Amino acid sequence: GAPLRLPLRTGSGPVLLLLLLLLVSVGSAIHDAVSGTNGTNVDPHHQSNSSGTKKPFPVLSFNYDHVRMPFEISLWILLALLMKLGFHIIPRVSHVVPESCLLIVVGLLVGGFIKAIGEEAPILDSKLFFLYLLPPIILDAGYFLPIRAFTENMGTILVFAVVGTLWNSFFIGGMMYGVCQIESAQLGAVDLLSCLHFGCIISAVDPVAVLAVFEEIHIHELLYILVFGESLLNDAVTVVLYHLFEEFSHAGTVTVGDAFLGVICFFVVSLGGIMVGAIYGLLGAFTSRFTSHTRVIEPLFVFLYSYMAYLSAEVFHLSGIMSLIACGVMMRPYVEANISHKSYTTIKYFLKMWSSVSETLIFIFLGVSTVAGPHAWNWTFVIFTVIICLVSRVLGVIGLTYVINKFRIVKLTKKDQFIVAYGGLRGAIAFSLGFLLTNSQVKHMFLTAIITVIFFTVFVQGMTIRPLVELLAVKRKKESKRSINEEIHTQFLDHLLTGIEGICGHYGHHHWKDKLNRFNKTYVKRWLIAGDRSTEPQLISFYNKLEMKQAIMLVESGSGAKLPTTVSAISMQNVQPKEAPRQRVIPTISKSREQEIRKILRANLQNTRQRLRSYSRHDLMIDPFEDNMSEIRFRRQKVEMQRRMSHYLTVPANRQETPPVRKVCFEPEHQVYNYDAIAIESPRGRDSRPTPSSPNDVSLLNESPQKPNQSSTTRAAGDVELRVKTEDEQEEQDQLKLSRCLSDPGPNQEGEGGSSFRS
Amino acid sequence: MGASQARTEHPYQDLMDKTGCNDMFGSKEDLASIPALDNNPLRKQIITAFFDKRNQHENQVGFFEEIGFEQFVMVMSHFRAPTLKTSEEEREVMRKEKLRFLFNMHDTDNDGTITLEEYRKVVEELLSKSGALGLEAAKAIADAAMLEVASTNVPHMAPDDFYEGITFEHFEQILKGLEMETRMHIRFLDVDTTTMRCGKTTS
């Protein structure tokens, strides 16, 4: 969003920084003081009076040890977040430098500060990283993975991930071994296996770094999914190679049988990881089927099942990342069909929040660890590592693309190849893996080299990729949202292409996708989705979602605000073939009147809400807009209304009264809720003279027609949403009133006789 | 046009020689009997598209009774994919061609516009395998989609104007984001010759 305008704009950043450094140092000082006086400041409850002299009762005591761990953790997280906040306040910096770089710099500063005051800086502990910091990021990525793009490019991604990483590892390892043989470098202690080990650690493209950088450059989806997919899927290769080389370095010798076992291990690791993830995903989906009565804990199921998938995979040394991705991908379509809208929002925001915090912490800790860790700088080794990494990546991408393009329909251009090669960033995973090395002889040297490569990729490549993207005019991400026409035609194309393939007898991509979809529909959905939504076709769910979003937008935008999508004055009447000559008596009410009505409605709703609610910490607030019952009723009534609308639209209007404005509406949520319990002092009998509202105040709304044989002039009331009647309430003036109808100005609005805003 | 035909005719030339079919595909019933199309909601439209004279690029209208190999290939040529060597203008032409094919599939009465009724029919067919719920929603969806087309293309219509239907230009406009030339293709070279129908019914 727009940067906040603080009164002291340019000065605030450094001030913030200083403040935080102060905070951290205070924290460490306290820690120091406490540990120094630890002996005497034992838990005051068990203070013995053995000394004889009676101490006065301690009014205020100090016991830092008690809360030390959570306190420090919270302090660090707070620091990280305040830093993040600070960057976005300083307007210019965040455009040039990607956030990851800034965070590393902060980490460096903080680390330096801590070291300067003589404290021991915390290092990015591998256990902390792999078990706590990494999963949220991967889950966030996996849950919101664009499936279509991913599966369409799966072959390419797999080739890059597996073959590319293998190539990188062996090339780097081999070349570094060659470098180590150079006499002048004094690197004779490093043997081939260690070099290969090093190669495999450093060759993996890091998902955290890729996400951090690519998120800001808004690149074309294909490239994003290629690089990002590669960074996710190469985890299996990395895991296998790492453990392989670790075993070998202990054993000392390598046989062909070992290599063969390695290959088998790779398949076990990757497929096993995916299977574990899929099982947990299905379990999660199945559980979500029954959560309709306990909506509060729905998000927790998603998080916990996913985390368990990760941990379970890690138990067996399978690929935790692939497990997590598989779990998220598997779970998502079913869970989303089952959970409430609030839970969906919660899941989305919590995932984004956790992954954001994790990412920030990772980069800061990288900076701190750089300052803290013991380093063994060897010019030759480091420089050659950086150069060889780059060369290997470029060669790998070019070579593989040449092969892949023979099989791809949409070929990868030179520009694409460049971005893929340039986007191969290394990050914290390489660091953590390096940290786990046991061979302390070369460990420090390796770590130094790894850190240098990470810094190089994140700083140099991360900072320059944005101007390069602009320079090369690489295609950017499509900004617009999915429209319903696009969705219809995507589905149409799917079926069309499947059909054409069928005619040709070609069992291709579409054929299998179609088969999978049908299998999904007939068997899987029935088990995993609750209620009648299990039979809802995709187009309809998409449409419902779109409506829901529009409704929420309408609700949130409040009164009279112009909705961006509805500025046009088009309404259904423009699209419908004209039938009987219509009387354009379209009632409208003035804005002020509308405001009054809304105020009244809101007040009444609040009153009722207060009456209905009894306080319980574990209940979600009884919110008429998110109640289960209402949701079901919402859907049912929507179907009925649609039925009625279609009925109306096909039956010619043959009466004197005003056909209400036929607009296709994206129903606001308010609209359908049954306010039986709520006594609305509707402006009953209030005679509102319609006045023409400005042509710009059009909102899309759903106007339900009345029964054809009514004679009265019912006004499409401004936005009095009263009650939605069910079909049984047959009255003369059966109204399905709508909400928030700012109707189109038609010609004759005056002269409308008595209106009745009836409910 | 000759060039485009030649490019796809190549694999099919071998095909024809291999299978020895000279008079493939016969009539609509022959095509309709292909079992692979059974579960496809767009079955009828696809088959009709093969027989549609508009897709032959010869400026004729109407429908064939029987089609031969040439007509089949002509229709299939709409499903080529662009290569690395395809220039920008050629891509544009391809895209237009493919969009035209889709447009012809929707515009059944050939009046140059897709009216609301025709669009409704399209959505209904798409949802035709989903039962009663589908039909109700189909109308709403088609209406919403039509509205969307109208609002994006002609944003300032007066209340009395009537939006006749989606013209080809509007159709192009709304599907701009889908990049037809890369989406609408199948892989010709992998076609398995033994399963090609030769105008004879197979079970």
Side-chain angles (χ1 to χ4, degrees):
Chain A
L4 296 171
R5 293 225 177 271
L6 292 185
L8 20 95
R9 217 163 19 123
T10 45
S12 61
V15 168
L16 216 55
L17 202 65
L18 277 171
L19 217 73
L20 282 150
L21 290 178
L22 219 56
L23 213 64
V24 169
S25 62
V26 165
S28 325
I30 291 177
H31 165 53
D32 207 16
V34 166
S35 51
T37 59
N38 213 0
T40 54
N41 200 5
V42 173
D43 191 346
H45 295 297
H46 297 312
Q47 213 167 25
S48 63
N49 286 336
S50 58
S51 55
T53 53
K54 183 160 178 293
K55 285 200 173 137
F57 183 78
V59 173
L60 191 66
S61 48
F62 182 83
N63 186 2
Y64 180 61
D65 237 3
H66 192 51
V67 295
R68 186 180 136 227
M69 180 71 111
F71 192 87
E72 285 187 354
I73 294 179
S74 308
L75 204 60
W76 275 104
I77 299 182
L78 196 60
L79 166 79
L81 296 175
L82 285 170
M83 282 294 107
K84 218 173 147 82
L85 193 66
F87 297 145
H88 290 287
I89 294 181
I90 307 176
R92 206 153 310 152
V93 186
S94 50
H95 283 303
V96 179
V97 187
E99 209 173 87
S100 40
C101 303
L102 291 171
L103 288 170
I104 293 186
V105 169
V106 168
L108 286 173
L109 286 173
V110 171
F113 199 80
I114 293 184
K115 211 162 190 192
I117 64 177
E119 272 302 310
E120 168 131 3
I123 304 191
L124 184 60
D125 181 27
S126 290
K127 183 166 156 225
L128 171 72
F129 176 72
F130 280 114
L131 289 184
Y132 300 113
L133 291 179
L134 189 60
I137 302 180
I138 304 295
L139 180 59
D140 179 38
Y143 198 77
F144 294 109
L145 199 65
I147 295 291
R148 188 176 267 266
F150 191 69
T151 47
E152 278 175 11
N153 295 298
M154 183 67 100
T156 315
I157 294 177
L158 275 176
V159 170
F160 275 128
V162 177
V163 183
T165 311
L166 279 173
W167 156 260
N168 274 341
S169 312
F170 285 105
F171 185 75
I172 295 176
M175 295 298 278
M176 286 320 290
Y177 184 62
V179 166
C180 290
Q181 305 298 64
I182 299 178
E183 295 303 325
S184 56
Q186 303 140 16
L187 289 167
V190 187
D191 61 333
L192 182 62
L193 267 177
S194 302
C195 280
L196 285 174
H197 205 174
F198 174 72
C200 101
I201 293 176
I202 202 155
S203 65
V205 176
D206 186 76
V208 180
V210 165
L211 267 177
V213 169
F214 271 55
E215 221 163 45
E216 297 181 359
I217 57 178
H218 298 299
I219 210 167
H220 186 43
E221 196 182 48
L222 171 68
L223 291 175
Y224 167 75
I225 201 75
L226 281 182
V227 183
F228 183 61
E230 178 194 345
S231 68
L232 289 176
L233 295 186
N234 67 16
D235 181 59
V237 183
T238 312
V239 165
V240 171
L241 278 180
Y242 185 82
H243 287 298
L244 210 64
F245 286 128
E246 196 170 350
E247 288 297 321
F248 288 168
S249 59
H250 285 300
T253 53
V254 185
T255 64
V256 177
D258 290 331
F260 184 63
L261 280 177
V263 172
I264 297 190
C265 183
F266 166 70
F267 283 107
V268 167
V269 161
S270 47
L271 294 175
I274 295 178
M275 211 172 61
V276 168
I279 293 178
Y280 273 101
L282 287 175
L283 274 177
F286 190 63
T287 311
S288 73
R289 187 179 160 182
F290 303 107
T291 53
S292 49
H293 299 290
T294 45
R295 295 278 185 198
V296 196
I297 56 175
E298 270 174 347
L300 278 176
F301 282 118
V302 172
F303 301 142
L304 286 173
Y305 274 110
S306 313
Y307 195 45
M308 292 285 286
Y310 181 77
L311 293 176
S312 307
E314 287 288 323
V315 166
F316 297 102
H317 273 183
L318 303 173
S319 167
I321 291 184
M322 294 182 81
S323 161
L324 204 49
I325 302 277
C327 183
V329 164
M330 200 53 133
M331 214 180 358
R332 186 179 177 199
Y334 309 109
V335 161
E336 282 195 354
N338 283 330
I339 59 178
S340 70
H341 188 75
K342 261 204 183 131
S343 299
Y344 171 71
T345 312
T346 308
I347 291 179
K348 191 165 83 158
Y349 275 101
F350 261 80
L351 282 179
K352 297 280 174 215
M353 183 181 82
W354 272 328
S355 68
S356 184
V357 171
S358 275
E359 198 180 286
T360 314
L361 277 176
I362 287 177
F363 283 117
I364 289 191
F365 269 118
L366 257 183
V368 174
S369 308
T370 310
V371 174
H375 291 295
W377 181 271
N378 183 315
W379 278 101
T380 336
F381 193 79
V382 170
I383 304 257
F384 269 100
T385 307
V386 174
I387 297 179
I388 291 177
C389 275
L390 281 175
V391 168
S392 143
R393 175 85 183 157
V394 170
L395 286 180
V397 168
I398 293 183
L400 285 174
T401 314
Y402 179 70
V403 175
I404 289 173
N405 268 347
K406 294 202 192 298
F407 297 97
R408 274 181 74 91
I409 297 271
V410 179
K411 319 277 184 195
L412 294 176
T413 64
K414 290 238 178 325
K415 267 194 246 178
D416 297 336
Q417 292 176 38
F418 176 74
I419 298 289
V420 171
Y422 208 66
L425 308 173
R426 285 23 176 211
I429 289 187
F431 179 79
S432 307
L433 283 178
F435 203 69
L436 286 174
L437 281 174
T438 48
N439 182 1
S440 58
Q441 222 182 349
V442 293
K443 176 174 166 180
H444 299 309
M445 191 173 67
F446 283 172
L447 266 181
T448 313
I450 291 175
I451 290 186
T452 315
V453 174
I454 295 178
F455 270 42
F456 182 82
T457 53
V458 173
F459 277 91
V460 174
Q461 285 178 235
M463 269 202 272
T464 53
I465 201 168
R466 196 194 305 218
L468 275 173
V469 159
E470 282 174 21
L471 194 68
L472 294 175
V474 180
K475 253 194 296 192
R476 306 302 277 265
K477 185 156 71 161
K478 194 166 57 117
E479 282 308 332
S480 55
K481 283 196 152 36
R482 216 43 163 162
S483 73
I484 194 160
N485 279 297
E486 287 182 353
E487 180 69 21
I488 291 178
H489 280 97
T490 312
Q491 298 247 336
F492 191 84
L493 269 180
D494 273 344
H495 288 295
L496 174 66
L497 291 173
T498 312
I500 299 276
E501 280 186 358
I503 291 183
C504 292
H506 166 51
Y507 294 115
H509 190 72
H510 293 276
H511 177 90
W512 294 115
K513 200 157 67 157
D514 188 54
K515 262 207 149 93
L516 187 67
N517 279 335
R518 266 187 287 128
F519 173 72
N520 193 10
K521 196 155 75 159
T522 40
Y523 298 110
V524 187
K525 274 193 182 170
R526 215 172 284 168
W527 278 103
L528 297 180
I529 299 185
D532 56 358
R533 290 202 69 178
S534 56
T535 48
E536 197 177 58
Q538 193 190 346
L539 191 58
I540 297 186
S541 349
F542 176 83
Y543 177 62
N544 287 341
K545 264 194 224 162
L546 199 64
E547 284 204 353
M548 187 84 104
K549 275 194 214 148
Q550 291 270 358
I552 294 178
M553 239 170 41
L554 252 171
V555 168
E556 284 178 353
S557 67
S559 55
K562 263 192 242 192
L563 297 180
T565 52
T566 60
V567 172
S568 74
I570 301 257
S571 63
M572 223 25 225
Q573 69 213 25
N574 296 107
V575 174
Q576 269 300 315
K578 280 199 174 58
E579 295 169 8
R582 282 174 281 143
Q583 312 238 329
R584 305 296 315 277
V585 275
I586 296 157
T588 62
I589 57 173
S590 66
K591 255 218 187 104
S592 56
R593 189 50 64 102
E594 178 205 306
Q595 302 275 20
E596 278 176 52
I597 295 170
R598 270 183 219 218
K599 234 188 311 182
I600 293 170
L601 264 185
R602 231 178 260 140
N604 278 309
L605 283 177
Q606 281 169 0
N607 287 341
T608 323
R609 245 188 263 177
Q610 278 157 17
R611 267 183 275 136
L612 291 178
R613 200 168 65 192
S614 66
Y615 182 70
S616 160
R617 212 168 45 140
H618 299 290
D619 282 339
L620 282 179
M621 290 310 175
I622 297 177
D623 188 346
F625 308 140
E626 260 298 340
D627 207 331
N628 299 344
M629 293 304 293
S630 309
E631 250 186 343
I632 298 177
R633 243 180 255 152
F634 170 48
R635 288 195 192 115
R636 217 185 332 123
Q637 277 161 344
K638 197 153 59 102
V639 172
E640 282 177 31
M641 258 206 283
Q642 282 165 354
R643 215 181 294 145
R644 244 184 295 190
M645 172 142 92
S646 52
H647 170 67
Y648 178 81
L649 289 176
T650 51
V651 172
N654 52 0
R655 56 208 194 274
Q656 214 43 10
E657 84 210 52
T658 113
V661 176
R662 301 196 212 129
K663 292 182 190 204
V664 169
C665 172
F666 295 128
E667 302 162 326
E669 267 178 293
H670 282 174
Q671 176 181 346
V672 222
Y673 288 93
N674 199 316
Y675 294 142
D676 287 320
I678 299 174
I680 298 185
E681 284 124 8
S682 55
R684 206 172 277 234
R686 214 186 270 211
D687 182 355
S688 68
R689 302 240 103 217
T691 47
S693 48
S694 80
N696 288 331
D697 298 328
V698 173
S699 60
L700 294 179
L701 36 88
N702 194 348
E703 173 128 346
S704 295
Q706 307 137 15
K707 298 266 161 222
N709 49 8
Q710 283 157 17
S711 58
S712 74
T713 57
T714 22
R715 205 159 264 190
D719 70 326
V720 179
E721 206 295 283
L722 306 180
R723 221 183 296 176
V724 175
K725 287 210 163 31
T726 59
E727 221 153 2
D728 343 62
E729 287 175 278
Q730 303 266 353
E731 297 169 27
E732 187 89 347
Q733 238 91 42
D734 178 16
Q735 351 276 299
L736 292 175
K737 279 319 171 181
L738 332 182
S739 41
R740 316 234 165 176
C741 293
L742 302 174
S743 33
D744 246 344
N748 283 338
Q749 287 128 12
E750 324 284 305
E752 260 310 280
S755 74
S756 49
F757 287 40
R758 280 266 220 104
S759 51
Chain B
M1 228 175 39
S4 67
Q5 229 175 348
R7 254 198 268 180
T8 46
E9 233 175 283
H10 234 247
Y12 281 79
Q13 218 36 52
D14 315 74
L15 200 66
M16 215 162 72
D17 297 333
K18 274 186 216 172
T19 55
C21 288
N22 291 314
D23 188 25
M24 300 164 101
F25 309 111
S27 61
K28 270 194 185 169
E29 288 73 37
D30 295 329
L31 261 186
S33 62
I34 294 178
L37 283 182
D38 277 344
N39 281 312
N40 200 318
L42 295 182
R43 198 160 156 263
K44 275 196 308 248
Q45 276 103 321
I46 297 178
I47 295 177
T48 318
F50 276 94
F51 290 84
D52 192 337
K53 281 191 186 166
R54 285 175 296 176
N55 289 329
Q56 298 297 325
H57 292 243
E58 283 167 8
N59 289 327
Q60 292 180 5
V61 283
F63 293 92
F64 291 111
E65 282 301 321
E66 286 201 347
I67 58 169
F69 179 67
E70 278 191 29
Q71 284 84 17
F72 177 76
V73 170
M74 201 57 210
V75 170
M76 292 300 279
S77 73
H78 289 95
F79 293 92
R80 284 170 297 153
T83 66
L84 269 179
K85 303 202 183 62
T86 328
S87 66
E88 234 356 272
E89 308 88 49
E90 288 181 7
R91 274 176 192 256
E92 268 305 313
V93 169
M94 272 184 110
R95 190 184 309 158
K96 259 198 156 69
E97 220 177 72
K98 293 177 199 267
L99 283 173
R100 188 84 226 177
F101 184 80
L102 284 182
F103 192 79
N104 288 339
M105 280 186 86
H106 296 330
D107 182 18
T108 44
D109 60 0
N110 195 31
D111 60 354
T113 60
I114 304 178
T115 61
L116 185 61
E117 279 311 314
E118 289 169 343
Y119 211 23
R120 272 190 190 153
K121 199 100 213 317
V122 172
V123 180
E124 264 172 38
E125 288 294 322
L126 264 185
L127 294 176
S128 59
K129 302 271 173 193
S130 349
L133 183 61
L135 288 179
E136 294 297 326
K139 282 224 170 62
I141 294 176
D143 293 346
M146 196 71 167
L147 195 62
E148 200 182 71
V149 179
S151 9
T152 41
N153 282 303
V154 197
H156 298 294
M157 283 180 79
D160 272 341
D161 287 351
F162 177 53
Y163 181 67
E164 296 287 341
I166 310 179
T167 61
F168 186 60
E169 288 75 34
H170 294 173
F171 192 67
E172 275 184 297
Q173 184 68 21
I174 55 171
L175 291 185
K176 214 171 33 169
L178 279 184
E179 289 181 2
M180 253 339 133
E181 74 270 14
T182 48
R183 269 195 187 239
M184 189 166 139
H185 62 262
I186 71 168
R187 293 169 187 262
F188 281 112
L189 302 175
D190 301 342
V191 168
D192 182 3
T193 60
T194 56
T195 51
M196 294 285 298
R197 307 305 191 260
C198 277
K200 309 182 185 78
T201 58
T202 45
S203 53

